[in-house]
Every structure is written in C-alpha cells, then in structure tokens.
Amino acid sequence: MQILIADFGSQYTLLIGRMLREIGVRSIILPPQKVSAWLKENRPKGIILSGGAASIYEDDAPNLPDGVLNDDIPILGICYGMHWLAQRLGGRVEPRFAEREYGAAEMILCEPDPLFHGLTDDAKFTVWMSHGDSVTAIPANFKVIGRTAGNTAAAISWPERRVWGLQFHPEVNHTIRGRAILENFLEVCSVKHDWRPDDVITRILQEVAAAVGPDENCILAFSGGVDSSTLTAIVAPVLGSRLTCITLDHGGLRAGEADEVKENALAAGCWYSREPAGRPSFDIFGRWKTFLNAIVAAGTDAEAKRRAFREQYQIDLETLAAEADARVLIQGTLAPDVIESGRVGGAATIKTHHNVGMETWLRQIHPLAGLFKYEVRDLARYLKLPPSITERKPFPGPGFYCRIVGVPVTAELLELVRWADAEVRRITAEEDLEQEFAQLVVGLIGVRTVGVKGDGRSYGYAIAVRAVQTSDFMTCRGYQFPPEVRRSIQRAVTKHPEITRVWFDENDKPPATVEFE
Ligand code: XMP
C-alpha cells in the first residue's frame, strides 16, 4: 500500500481513497489508533491526514502519535488534518466565527508550489470548504501558498520537509482542480501507478501458480458473493477441472440464496458438478444440521458462536477437500477480514472471521487479502461479470447465525429472521432504494416486548433493520430510511405473530460494526 490515509472521521475520507484509486494508486484508510501498529510493518510513500468533525482544541480530539512527523515521508493534511499539523508543529488554530466557511470559496494562489504544479494559469479557483476553525498562526518553516478572499490560510506548505496543509477538500468534485492537486502530491511522493486491473489479476495468478503444483487439485470456498465469484472467474480458466468450488448450505443463508449462488458459480465459469465435467466444478452441500448443532452448543456469546462456526466450516471443508483429492484451499478473504480478525500489526480482534485463522492441514491461499470490496467490484466489472455478481450486496459468511442476538439460535428463529429479511429486501427493491446503501442488515433482537395486535396482547421479538453506506467496510455510516419506507417495513414485518416491533439502527462504524455480532 503506497499511501496511508489516517481517518480523523471526515465524511469525505472514503472519497480520498476513491480519488486515489481513480488516479491509479492504491491506499489504505485506517483510524488513528491503528496507524502506529501499521507503520511498524509498512512504509508508505505518502501520508494523507483526513478532515474530521472535531475541533483540535477539544480534550478528546482525534490524535496521531508524533512518530508520524519524525520520519521524512511526505504528508498532506486536509481540513482537520491541517489543523492537527498546525497545532503539533507550533502554530495556532482557533474558532473564528467570521472565517467559518461551508461550501464553495475562491482560493487565490499566493506563490508557486509543487502542489499547484500546472495550475498557475488559474490565479484563483473554486475550492470546497467545510470548517468552523481556522489556522490563525502558521508554524515556523511554513508559508501560506493559497488564501481565500476572507483571508483564511487555505493552503500552507513546508517545502523542505514536504508537508502541506489544505483547509479545503481536494477530494470532492466541487473543488475545481482538486484531483490535479492530489496528483501533484502523489508525484512528490514518487508513487507508482499500481491499480491496473491487469496487474492485479497477474499478481493473483502468480500467487496461485506458486501455491498450487501443476497436477494438484484445489477447492475454493464459494459463497456466491462478489469476492469468491470474482476470484473464481480469475482462476477458473487457469485451474480448469483441477478446481472444485464448494458452497456449504449451513442453514443461515437467505431465502433463495442457494439458487443465486449456483447462478453466479456458472457465470464465473464453473460447471454444476452433477452435469458433465471438464471445467471447474461447483456444488452446494447441505450441512445445516451440523452447523446448527455446533452453534446452539456455543450459546449466545458472539465470539463463541463465530469460533464454533469457523470450526464446523473447517471440518466440512477438510472432508470435502479430501473427497476431491485436494490439498489447497483458495478463499476470497478481503483486507478488512484480515485486519479486523486482529491479523495486522497490533490491530485488535474485532471479530473472528470464519475464513481467517483456520489451523488446518489444507494449504490456504487468500489472493484477495490486500484488496477492499470496491476494488474487487472493479475487477468484477473489468471481467464483465454480470450485475448479479458485480452489484451483489455482501452477506456475512456465518449468515443469520450472527444476526440472532441475545438468545440461543434455533431453527425456528432462523426461519423467522430469514422471512423478515426477505420482506425488508422486497420493500427496499420495490422502493428502488438499493443503490442508496452498500449493505442491508436484518437481525433478530432476542428480547421480547409487549405489543397489541387486533385488540389482543402480543409478546414478541424485535427485528432490527440497518442499512449502511460505505465502500471499504472499515467504516460506515448508518443510512436513514425515508419515513414512509420505515412505515411500510414496520407494517409488513410485524404481521408475523412472533414479531412485535421493528427497530431501525442508524449507528455508524465506529462505534458500531456493520453486523450485530
Ligand atoms: P463488520 O460487522 O465486521 O462487517 O463491520 C464488515 C463487512 O464484513 C461482513 N462480515 C463478514 N463476512 N465473514 C464474511 O465473509 C464473516 O465472518 C463476516 N463478518 C462480517 C459484513 O457483513 C460486512 O459486509
């Protein structure tokens, strides 16, 4: 990863990553508390400090360790990121009522600077601001290279150390020439353009070739989601009939999912194994009894359930691999799965992922482990896979097992939440809302509350409905459904005799995660 983006919490942080990728450069976005651990094992070519909603002089304002400044890696601080730099390096940041700017502002260039290379034809241009605080005294060594008509220091630079601060947001489209400014920063960092789909595909194939002997068989854990489908489409032409794609129907799948999975396996280049062979084969194995028993035995603790799921997953994959005479397991694990399973630097374990950390005799390869969801989607589009793959919303490996919260899982509760999920998806599809969010989460909250239905008492569960907006799933924003859609969902879901209420969950990540467990 060439560029590290430290996320101080701005609503625009993901846009920075996206714009860099459009330019052809890969980046990683990390919350400030994960930066130190990551920097111990990685050396980026540049660091971008995002904006954020806090004020730098607040007690609990987001912070970064000093180490970030001690190195000589070029740094670009945006909005709050600029305030952090200014304050840390001896300048002053203040709330200036008169200087608050929200929306478009004109920036006047004060002097030539590598950041504005190629832009000097425009003596001034429109930038997008969103700030209540301003840098009122710049630190020693810095100079002001751009200011607004209201005399705000809009851009500051310390050329010898290669540190810049921008009060405006170059990552939003409303900033004219914002992309050129980011390109100039990348030029200073001497980054290579490393986000070309062909390069990514070549690297994946090299990794597979290195891990799988020429006559060896392998299995691929196929969920039918964008990750495993894209991975299959990449490796299927090379591995041919040595590849067996396996889907475990563990009992926690969505209504109709098995059919969709089969359709995606065929689109990704597999043969259904009960039909003539020759190409990679695919099959779905019904294993819901063993999974249900294992998870029921784990009780209600989220991590115990996840570990039980992973154990059962491993047992089944090992058995099926032995039947296919395979010693290699290919998985579509993504970067967030690895990071959040606590496998990067000193990152905390947020949750055990079913596909990370299995201790098995199978040789495991995770060729997508350096990629984020939006990058895999781009690969899928590049490979011209159908929308059933490219646009497919994620669904967690453990399925509804991790969406029944607070009560032991039973076959009946799985049916209940599966039904509610299908109802909510039906309504959001009818309302044409699917493009509004990246994922829809429907779960069952295992406390019963009192209601009144048809003049009688009801005593039932609550269904929690959550939609999130994100492109990398490391952070997300809770989506707010329009009021009339909330009402339709409530009306539809509470028709079930066991459901009394619907709770809408609009929490961001952080503090929440996308899933409930
Ligand atoms: P969280 O809840 O960790 O979710 O914020 C981030 C994304 O990962 C999905 N997720 C999983 N996917 N196996 C998976 O394949 C898992 O164990 C798992 N847990 C969460 C989640 O649905 C979201 O898209």
Side-chain angles (χ1 to χ4, degrees), residues 174-245:
H174 309 285
T175 294
I176 310 295
R177 319 297 301 268
R179 179 180 165 135
I181 293 173
L182 285 175
E183 277 172 341
N184 284 337
F185 177 68
L186 297 175
E187 187 68 36
V188 172
C189 300
S190 310
V191 298
K192 289 198 213 75
H193 286 219
D194 62 350
W195 218 104
R196 279 188 300 255
D198 277 333
D199 296 348
V200 179
I201 291 170
T202 305
R203 188 198 45 71
I204 291 170
L205 290 177
Q206 281 165 348
E207 185 177 341
V208 171
V212 187
D215 302 318
E216 250 185 333
N217 292 337
C218 37
I219 58 167
L220 190 148
F222 189 87
S223 70
V226 60
D227 314 323
S228 55
S229 301
T230 306
L231 185 55
T232 301
I234 293 171
V235 300
V238 177
L239 294 174
S241 57
R242 291 187 289 136
L243 176 67
T244 304
C245 290

Side-chain angles (χ1 to χ4, degrees), residues 105-365:
E106 292 260 279
M107 180 173 72
I108 302 153
L109 299 184
C110 305
E111 38 182 307
D113 187 275
L115 211 55
F116 297 145
H117 179 72
L119 309 183
T120 36
D121 289 348
D122 313 336
K124 58 180 173 184
F125 48 84
T126 304
V127 295
W128 195 258
M129 298 278 198
S130 182
H131 69 117
D133 300 341
S134 300
V135 176
T136 52
I138 62 169
N141 303 320
F142 275 79
K143 55 188 182 175
V144 175
I145 53 172
R147 41 174 86 254
T148 62
N151 219 20
T152 304
I156 60 174
S157 127
W158 177 9
E160 298 76 22
R161 166 63 183 81
R162 298 187 298 172
V163 175
W164 288 268
L166 300 178
Q167 181 57 76
F168 61 91
H169 291 271
E171 68 276 22
V172 304
N173 287 336
H174 309 285
T175 294
I176 310 295
R177 319 297 301 268
R179 179 180 165 135
I181 293 173
L182 285 175
E183 277 172 341
N184 284 337
F185 177 68
L186 297 175
E187 187 68 36
V188 172
C189 300
S190 310
V191 298
K192 289 198 213 75
H193 286 219
D194 62 350
W195 218 104
R196 279 188 300 255
D198 277 333
D199 296 348
V200 179
I201 291 170
T202 305
R203 188 198 45 71
I204 291 170
L205 290 177
Q206 281 165 348
E207 185 177 341
V208 171
V212 187
D215 302 318
E216 250 185 333
N217 292 337
C218 37
I219 58 167
L220 190 148
F222 189 87
S223 70
V226 60
D227 314 323
S228 55
S229 301
T230 306
L231 185 55
T232 301
I234 293 171
V235 300
V238 177
L239 294 174
S241 57
R242 291 187 289 136
L243 176 67
T244 304
C245 290
I246 288 171
T247 300
L248 295 174
D249 181 354
H250 48 58
L253 298 182
R254 293 174 145 190
E257 194 165 0
D259 291 339
E260 292 168 18
V261 169
K262 180 178 169 190
E263 191 186 307
N264 285 352
L266 302 188
C270 294
W271 282 118
Y272 192 41
S273 67
R274 292 169 202 169
E275 289 157 12
R279 281 215 251 156
S281 67
F282 157 79
D283 209 343
I284 300 187
F285 298 87
R287 290 288 190 272
W288 67 268
K289 266 193 198 144
T290 42
F291 272 93
L292 183 61
N293 288 342
I295 290 164
V296 167
T300 55
D301 178 76
E303 272 301 285
K305 283 164 71 182
R306 279 180 168 269
R307 281 194 298 271
F309 186 93
R310 184 171 67 183
E311 267 169 44
Q312 190 57 46
Y313 179 76
Q314 175 174 338
I315 292 168
D316 280 316
L317 286 183
E318 285 176 347
T319 310
L320 293 166
E323 282 171 19
D325 194 21
R327 305 200 66 77
V328 183
L329 166 63
I330 308 180
Q331 304 220 64
T333 316
L334 294 188
D337 306 349
V338 185
I339 296 170
E340 297 197 341
S341 300
R343 304 278 156 163
V344 178
T349 303
I350 308 296
K351 50 188 65 169
T352 297
H353 279 246
H354 68 294
N355 42 358
V356 181
M358 271 195 291
E359 282 166 18
T360 161
W361 52 264
L362 283 162
R363 269 194 331 275
Q364 299 174 74
I365 47 173

Side-chain angles (χ1 to χ4, degrees), residues 337-456:
D337 306 349
V338 185
I339 296 170
E340 297 197 341
S341 300
R343 304 278 156 163
V344 178
T349 303
I350 308 296
K351 50 188 65 169
T352 297
H353 279 246
H354 68 294
N355 42 358
V356 181
M358 271 195 291
E359 282 166 18
T360 161
W361 52 264
L362 283 162
R363 269 194 331 275
Q364 299 174 74
I365 47 173
H366 305 270
L368 306 181
L371 302 180
F372 289 91
K373 184 76 81 186
Y374 58 78
E375 297 178 306
V376 180
R377 261 191 225 290
D378 279 357
L379 281 183
R381 290 185 188 122
Y382 178 77
L383 293 167
K384 302 213 170 5
L385 295 175
S388 65
I389 295 176
T390 58
E391 308 310 313
R392 193 170 171 83
K393 304 260 195 271
F395 187 62
F400 288 121
Y401 286 109
C402 65
R403 291 189 180 171
I404 294 177
V405 183
V407 275
V409 175
T410 60
E412 291 72 31
L413 291 183
L414 283 170
E415 269 319 311
L416 186 63
V417 67
R418 196 182 345 262
W419 172 84
D421 172 77
E423 283 296 285
V424 179
R425 280 194 294 148
R426 175 182 61 75
I427 293 168
T428 52
E430 279 168 13
E431 298 288 339
D432 205 15
L433 283 179
E434 282 158 327
Q435 298 307 317
E436 299 291 314
F437 44 79
Q439 187 171 358
L440 179 67
V441 180
V442 177
L444 181 132
I445 307 293
V447 285
R448 292 211 274 174
T449 60
V450 176
V452 51
K453 288 187 189 174
D455 290 337

